[in-house]
Amino acid sequence: MVGYERRQPRAWTVAEAKARLSEILRRAEEEGPQRIGTRKEFVVVPAHVWDANNEPTQSLGQWLIENMPRGGDLDIPSRHEGRERPVPFADWTEDDWEAFDRRHTGEDAGE
């Protein structure tokens, strides 16, 4: 791997970069990153430098699997144990249901 000097290289103009791309690529390999553009700057670096600085990140799913708590067996209580819920309207008679229907269908409006 090539060691790079930490100095601010001059920025190539876009026109120079178009005309001298091979030289820019050679200098990027030998001298370090090459800047292109004056208003908006871009940097050309060799692929091995880019790859070394941009290692693939681990997926969230993989991270969760590797970092899940490992505390042993958990006692999970039954969802129904001691939680009897009353059934609504279980004590309604046929008359209650008919009165309900009349009120909610508008049949009771005349009464």
Side-chain angles (χ1 to χ4, degrees), residues 9-80:
R10 73 172 182 88
W12 299 80
T13 65
V14 174
E16 287 175 319
K18 286 179 179 179
R20 301 170 74 183
L21 180 60
S22 295
E23 183 180 351
I24 290 173
L25 297 176
R26 180 185 57 76
R27 284 190 177 192
E29 184 66 36
E30 294 173 1
E31 299 173 12
Q34 300 293 303
R35 293 180 179 275
I36 299 173
T38 52
R39 283 184 282 153
K40 287 185 178 179
E41 286 193 350
F42 300 89
V43 179
V44 175
V45 295
H48 66 85
V49 173
W50 179 264
D51 293 341
N53 291 323
N54 293 297
E55 293 179 8
T57 57
Q58 186 177 40
S59 72
L60 175 61
Q62 189 62 40
W63 184 89
L64 289 171
I65 289 170
E66 291 177 5
N67 293 286
M68 64 188 279
R70 311 243 191 268
D73 294 332
L74 296 175
D75 291 330
I76 300 174
S78 170
R79 294 182 64 190
H80 303 293

Side-chain angles (χ1 to χ4, degrees), residues 88-101 103-104:
F89 314 112
D91 57 342
W92 276 32
T93 65
E94 193 65 35
D95 292 336
D96 294 328
W97 285 110
E98 288 174 9
F100 176 83
D101 287 341
R103 272 190 303 239
H104 289 87

